[in-house]
């Protein structure tokens, strides 16, 4: 009988996602599920004060509350067959658990970031005053700081800046120029993510309390992807992102691992080996604010050039 290991393995896999993902500050599992792939979010708005009359009486106010269901739509699956000979000859290095961990670190996590960046960028591009297109060649060490400051003050983003509740992701080019800027005096930290003695360095800094994170792996930093097989930018349509800003207060990635199955040899009909099957549901949501139920916590600046497949 096939066993569903989702309940057993989910904590480990989610931990891997949070450790390796650039967008881990936005990942949450604290949702109330209505069914297999839907949860709800309560939206509330109220009226404000009215002029007081000294003749007595109280002004009547109104409030509106609505429970809105949100459904996960990023539905993905994969299976791996590990031949018995491969397990024997590799001293079980090619085990189900090892393949699962490598898959989630090298495939699922980058895709989670890519989906997050593209989803937030797409939502921002629908909002007036919360998106722009800037040729990356026009950024210089003299203007990069001013451009970033301008983006961080767009629309109602100042509210989130004041709360210290914004995170900005920038391309390596932007971070390079910021490091050379004479207007920018903050320290840029080098953070190493190491494994097995090897690692990559990512630069992190802040402007007015807003954390800036460098996206070194620019393959996941586009405003549109084709998720047919893995994730790839769309030629002639996708734009590389220069800067993406979002608030963890109102932007959430909700992962839900639905099914992880493991079959011993002979327990399935797909070959003489161990079979691993993984299906994952997740999505990224941009919620409105609690004041007037408008989206005002995201911003994206993309390059003017579209992606060209190599």
């Amino acid at each position: 009988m096939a066993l569903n290991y989702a309940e057993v393995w989910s904590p480990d896999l989610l931990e891997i996602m949070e450790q390796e993902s650039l967008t881990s500050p936005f990942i949450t599992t604290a949702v109330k599920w209505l069914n297999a792939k839907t949860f709800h979010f309560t939206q509330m708005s109220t009226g404000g004060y009215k002029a007081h009359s000294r003749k007595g009486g109280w002004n009547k106010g109104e409030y509106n509350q609505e429970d809105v269901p949100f459904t996960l739509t990023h539905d993905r699956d994969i299976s791996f067959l590990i031949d018995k000979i491969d397990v024997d000859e590799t001293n079980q290095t090619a085990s189900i658990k090892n393949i699962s961990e490598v898959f989630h670190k090298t495939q699922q996590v980058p895709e989670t970031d890519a989906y997050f960046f593209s989803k937030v960028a797409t939502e921002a591009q629908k909002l007036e005053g919360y998106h722009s297109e800037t040729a990356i060649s026009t950024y210089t060490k003299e203007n990069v700081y001013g451009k970033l400051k301008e983006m961080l003050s767009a629309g109602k983003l100042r509210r989130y800046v004041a709360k210290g509740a914004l995170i900005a992701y920038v391309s390596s080019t932007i971070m390079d120029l910021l490091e050379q800027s004479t207007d920018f005096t903050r320290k840029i930290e080098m953070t190493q993510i190491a494994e097995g003695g090897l690692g990559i360095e990512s630069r992190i800094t802040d402007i007015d309390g807003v954390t800036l994170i460098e996206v070194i792996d620019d393959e996941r930093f586009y405003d549109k992807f084709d998720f047919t097989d893995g994730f790839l930018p769309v030629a002639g349509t996708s734009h590389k992102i220069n800067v993406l800003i979002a608030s963890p207060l109102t932007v959430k990635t909700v992962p839900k691992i639905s099914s992880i199955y493991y079959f011993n040899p002979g327990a399935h009909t797909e070959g003489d080996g161990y079979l691993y099957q993984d299906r994952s549901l997740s999505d990224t949501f941009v919620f409105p604010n609690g004041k007037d139920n408008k989206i005002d916590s995201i911003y994206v600046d993309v390059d003017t050039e579209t992606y060209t497949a190599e």
Side-chain angles (χ1 to χ4, degrees), residues 133-188:
E133 288 191 12
T134 309
I136 190 62
S137 60
T138 65
Y139 279 93
T140 66
K141 63 182 181 180
E142 290 80 16
N143 67 22
V144 63
Y145 180 65
K147 286 181 178 291
L148 288 171
K149 289 274 288 185
E150 185 177 351
M151 292 177 198
L152 291 172
S153 63
K156 301 296 184 182
L157 289 182
R158 294 182 187 85
R159 295 175 179 171
Y160 301 92
V161 173
K163 293 179 179 180
L166 273 185
I167 295 176
Y169 294 93
V170 301
S171 67
S172 292
T173 300
I174 299 294
M175 191 65 88
D176 286 341
L177 294 172
L178 190 61
E179 196 167 38
Q180 301 168 32
S181 172
T182 56
D183 295 328
F184 181 68
T185 59
R186 299 289 294 178
K187 186 177 180 180
I188 296 179

Side-chain angles (χ1 to χ4, degrees), residues 42-187:
T42 301
Q43 294 180 347
M44 178 181 287
S45 61
T46 69
Y49 277 123
K50 298 179 182 180
H52 177 69
S53 173
R54 296 192 178 186
K55 295 181 180 180
W58 293 84
N59 292 300
K60 299 297 183 182
E62 293 184 358
Y63 72 92
N64 295 299
Q65 178 173 312
E66 182 180 6
D67 286 337
V68 182
F70 288 85
T71 300
L72 297 146
T73 61
H74 197 54
D75 197 349
R76 313 290 280 167
D77 73 72
I78 194 68
S79 67
F80 296 101
L81 178 67
I82 303 92
D83 192 275
K84 286 197 298 185
I85 295 297
D86 291 336
V87 174
D88 294 338
E89 292 181 348
T90 62
N91 194 25
Q92 298 191 11
T93 300
S95 68
I96 290 292
K97 183 144 179 76
N98 287 338
I99 287 178
S100 171
E101 288 187 357
V102 171
F103 166 73
H104 283 85
K105 287 182 178 180
T106 63
Q107 299 296 325
Q108 185 196 29
V109 168
E111 180 174 310
T112 298
D113 286 343
Y115 188 81
F116 174 92
F117 292 139
S118 62
K119 183 71 174 286
V120 174
T122 299
E123 292 299 317
Q125 288 166 344
K126 299 175 183 177
L127 305 173
E128 184 177 354
Y130 290 89
H131 64 92
S132 56
E133 288 191 12
T134 309
I136 190 62
S137 60
T138 65
Y139 279 93
T140 66
K141 63 182 181 180
E142 290 80 16
N143 67 22
V144 63
Y145 180 65
K147 286 181 178 291
L148 288 171
K149 289 274 288 185
E150 185 177 351
M151 292 177 198
L152 291 172
S153 63
K156 301 296 184 182
L157 289 182
R158 294 182 187 85
R159 295 175 179 171
Y160 301 92
V161 173
K163 293 179 179 180
L166 273 185
I167 295 176
Y169 294 93
V170 301
S171 67
S172 292
T173 300
I174 299 294
M175 191 65 88
D176 286 341
L177 294 172
L178 190 61
E179 196 167 38
Q180 301 168 32
S181 172
T182 56
D183 295 328
F184 181 68
T185 59
R186 299 289 294 178
K187 186 177 180 180

Side-chain angles (χ1 to χ4, degrees), residues 270-289:
E270 295 194 22
D272 188 20
Y274 302 89
L275 181 64
Y276 170 82
Q277 296 175 328
D278 186 318
R279 181 185 176 190
S280 175
L281 277 171
S282 67
D283 218 322
T284 296
F285 301 96
V286 181
F287 298 109
N289 63 44

